[in-house]
Amino acid sequence: GREGGRGGGGEGERRPSVHPSMASSANSSNPPSASASKTKTKKKHFVSQKVSVFRAGNPLLSVFMWGVNHSINELNHVPAPVMLLPDDFKANSKIKVNNHLFNKENLPSNFKFKEYCPQVFRNLRERFGVDDLDYQISLTRHAPYSECNVRSSMLFHRSYDRRHVIKQISSEDVADMHSFLSDYHQYVVNCHGNTLLPQFLGMYRLSADSEDTYMLVMRNVFSHRLTIHRKYDLKGSLVSREASDKEKVKELPTLKDMDFLNVNQKLFVEQSEKALFMEKMRRDVEFLTRLKIMDYSLLLGIHEVWRPDGDEEEEERPRLGMGAGTGTGTGGSPTAAVTAATPAGSSATGTGTGTGEEDYNNLGLMPHMYGQSPESQGPLFCKGPGLGDGLSVLDVYAMHSSDCSPRNEVYFMGLIDILTQYDTKKKAAHAAKTVKHGAGAEISTVNPEQYAKRFMDFIANIFA
């Protein structure tokens, strides 16, 4: 891909000298209440050090936070294109930093940050109703926290507000994403963002100490505020699809197909809601099958409304509305956090209205209506089809149990792991499993058409 692609930030950009050591000087030129001004202020108006230095226990996460902040600031200076061009799907922006002065205890002395297809992901964020300022704050205001997927040995991170999942991926995944991205974008355009597919929001490479790490940012399928009490990864296969004893003793184990069947688990939803869900699923699975993609899962999380500890646990965690964040030790507006971390010579031009965070909390409204397609904006907490009291429209993967359900529950369901194509490795694995289990066995590695049919049949039967 070309360097310094549209939406730049590369070595060839108009401000190639952007440097972390200059970020501290930017702090002194931006008062907490200003969204994009450079007005000098007195020292007492400094935003706290915690916000501005991208402090994370892992230096790579500090680089990630610095890079996302820089990237969004740069995009703010570039008008969104009227339409995306083929070159936008190959473009990237890079910046190389020799860091000797600023925040040495958190950032490496030398690092590089690369954003893939910046204009494409910018457009996807817009189509998924994710405001860039909200995205920036979510990923940079505080360090994401880490989780490890034992099966794949890949790290997952969640943003501090739990709105985003940051998945560490391989260079092969990056290549797969590039080959998939144009079709994916067109599909999102055609369905107006109304899909159960993962909502891909950004893809990055971080380079430090001669090592490259790749990160893919997605919307969290689960709620940012409701506790998940049971979790399933469903593929529609019955072979080797039971959680291990080691997994089952975890506080929130990832259960599988056999576990779902063994406890006679069922989802109780209105027939109209089930029909809409299955139609959306059918459309998504047909799209994946056309691209010869398989091995995807339905991620299912169940929040048990009737459990008294659910909301009490959540009350202990600050509820952080993007674009109207509640206090996290810094006070001030959410724009202040971004402004404080803006490199010299650039600014964060968000669309904040200057309304105090308490005002938004009292109104139950969000300034950017994050988390929904632009065609369907509404209040943050509401009643409606598939939504219950206290269920946020940010929870785009949510469905409330029906009135006839034996238990009051909220279900969160989305497709995950959609980058596996039926290539030679899968064909070899299929041949090996056929030898082991027999030609008619319910093995997980089949061809894409077989996989899709088996998957759809299984999902249709998870409902009561």
Side-chain angles (χ1 to χ4, degrees):
R2 70 187 187 202
E3 294 189 7
R6 292 201 325 199
E11 288 93 333
E13 64 188 336
R14 55 201 171 87
R15 284 191 302 283
S17 60
V18 171
H19 189 293
S21 63
M22 299 168 72
S24 57
S25 65
N27 293 345
S28 63
S29 64
N30 288 290
S33 59
S35 60
S37 72
K38 297 184 182 179
T39 309
K40 298 275 185 182
T41 81
K42 295 180 182 178
K43 191 170 184 179
K44 67 180 181 180
H45 289 296
F46 276 13
V47 174
S48 72
Q49 182 85 338
K50 182 169 77 170
V51 173
S52 61
V53 299
F54 308 114
R55 180 173 291 124
N58 181 342
L60 270 179
L61 284 181
S62 293
V63 172
F64 172 79
M65 294 162 71
W66 186 95
V68 170
N69 181 73
H70 171 77
S71 153
I72 297 296
N73 287 342
E74 289 299 306
L75 281 174
N76 280 336
H77 295 283
V78 181
V82 175
M83 61 180 291
L84 294 174
L85 302 174
D87 277 356
D88 289 314
F89 291 86
K90 304 171 188 174
N92 62 71
S93 63
K94 299 179 184 178
I95 184 165
K96 181 177 182 179
V97 176
N98 297 314
N99 176 44
H100 300 294
L101 301 174
F102 177 71
N103 193 20
K104 288 169 66 177
E105 67 274 22
N106 295 301
L107 284 168
S109 57
N110 298 279
F111 63 87
K112 292 187 287 186
F113 181 86
K114 179 176 183 178
E115 179 179 17
Y116 296 99
C117 310
Q119 291 291 2
V120 176
F121 285 106
R122 178 194 208 178
N123 188 268
L124 285 170
R125 290 193 295 270
E126 180 182 352
R127 291 183 182 280
F128 288 131
V130 179
D131 182 87
D132 273 2
L133 178 60
D134 294 335
Y135 179 79
Q136 184 180 40
I137 295 171
S138 175
L139 296 176
T140 68
R141 187 170 191 172
H142 295 286
Y145 58 97
S146 304
E147 302 169 5
C148 186
N149 184 327
V150 176
R151 182 186 67 179
S152 64
S153 300
M154 285 296 186
L155 271 177
F156 281 83
H157 310 274
R158 294 188 196 277
S159 60
Y160 80 97
D161 55 11
R162 301 197 296 178
R163 282 172 162 78
H164 298 102
V165 172
I166 306 129
K167 183 180 180 182
Q168 185 175 319
I169 60 175
S170 66
S171 56
E172 290 82 7
D173 290 331
V174 173
D176 289 342
M177 191 69 183
H178 272 105
S179 63
F180 167 77
L181 191 56
S182 180
D183 290 309
Y184 171 81
H185 178 269
Q186 189 58 53
Y187 181 76
V188 170
V189 171
N190 292 343
C191 71
H192 306 288
N194 185 21
T195 174
L196 297 168
L197 295 177
Q199 295 191 3
F200 296 124
L201 306 175
M203 186 165 67
Y204 309 97
R205 187 190 71 190
L206 323 174
S207 304
D209 300 323
S210 303
E211 286 191 15
D212 292 336
T213 303
Y214 304 90
M215 299 286 201
L216 180 63
V217 180
M218 299 166 278
R219 185 196 293 278
N220 190 2
V221 171
F222 295 156
S223 174
H224 65 288
R225 58 184 298 274
L226 298 179
T227 303
I228 298 300
H229 296 112
R230 275 169 289 153
K231 178 173 65 168
Y232 293 94
D233 180 300
L234 303 175
K235 289 182 181 291
S237 171
L238 305 182
V239 173
S240 303
R241 293 295 298 164
E242 185 172 0
S244 65
D245 292 338
K246 183 178 179 182
E247 179 70 23
K248 286 177 180 176
V249 299
K250 292 181 180 178
E251 184 178 357
L252 182 63
T254 301
L255 304 173
K256 299 184 179 178
D257 305 64
M258 285 301 298
D259 305 301
F260 190 92
L261 297 176
N262 288 340
V263 297
N264 295 313
Q265 176 78 59
K266 289 290 183 181
L267 308 188
F268 294 82
V269 300
E270 298 291 348
Q271 282 301 311
S272 58
E273 290 296 309
K274 176 186 172 182
L276 287 170
F277 175 86
M278 291 305 298
E279 174 58 25
K280 195 186 297 186
M281 176 74 76
R282 181 197 60 77
R283 199 174 59 216
D284 290 345
V285 168
E286 282 183 1
F287 165 71
L288 296 175
T289 305
R290 277 201 312 274
L291 297 183
K292 302 296 182 188
I293 289 172
M294 52 184 291
D295 215 28
Y296 41 85
S297 303
L298 179 73
L299 181 63
L300 163 65
I302 302 175
H303 168 71
E304 298 166 344
V305 180
W306 49 271
R307 276 175 56 162
D309 62 335
D311 287 336
E312 287 171 12
E313 288 173 11
E314 293 306 307
E315 290 297 338
E316 296 171 9
R317 179 188 292 269
R319 293 185 182 178
L320 300 157
M322 298 322 299
T326 50
T328 56
T330 61
S333 70
T335 309
V338 184
T339 306
T342 303
S346 64
S347 61
T349 55
T351 56
T353 62
T355 305
E357 59 213 19
E358 296 86 355
D359 296 336
Y360 282 120
N361 290 338
N362 294 336
L363 289 168
L365 299 174
M366 291 283 285
H368 304 302
M369 302 322 303
Y370 174 107
Q372 52 190 324
S373 62
E375 292 89 352
S376 60
Q377 296 185 352
L380 176 59
F381 300 112
C382 63
K383 298 178 184 177
L387 291 178
D389 286 334
L391 188 58
S392 166
V393 292
L394 283 81
D395 298 320
V396 297
Y397 294 101
M399 188 185 301
H400 205 286
S401 61
S402 64
D403 292 339
C404 63
S405 171
R407 291 176 299 274
N408 190 5
E409 298 175 324
V410 181
Y411 310 119
F412 296 88
M413 293 182 282
L415 291 167
I416 59 169
D417 299 334
I418 66 166
L419 291 180
T420 303
Q421 284 192 294
Y422 189 63
D423 55 11
T424 50
K425 281 191 287 188
K426 273 287 171 190
K427 290 177 183 176
H430 177 254
K433 286 188 177 182
T434 301
V435 169
K436 182 176 179 180
H437 299 288
E442 284 286 325
I443 57 180
S444 63
T445 317
V446 293
N447 69 44
E449 290 77 14
Q450 291 170 316
Y451 189 93
K453 183 180 186 309
R454 189 183 68 192
F455 180 80
M456 289 296 293
D457 289 346
F458 187 91
I459 299 306
N461 287 311
I462 70 177
F463 298 96

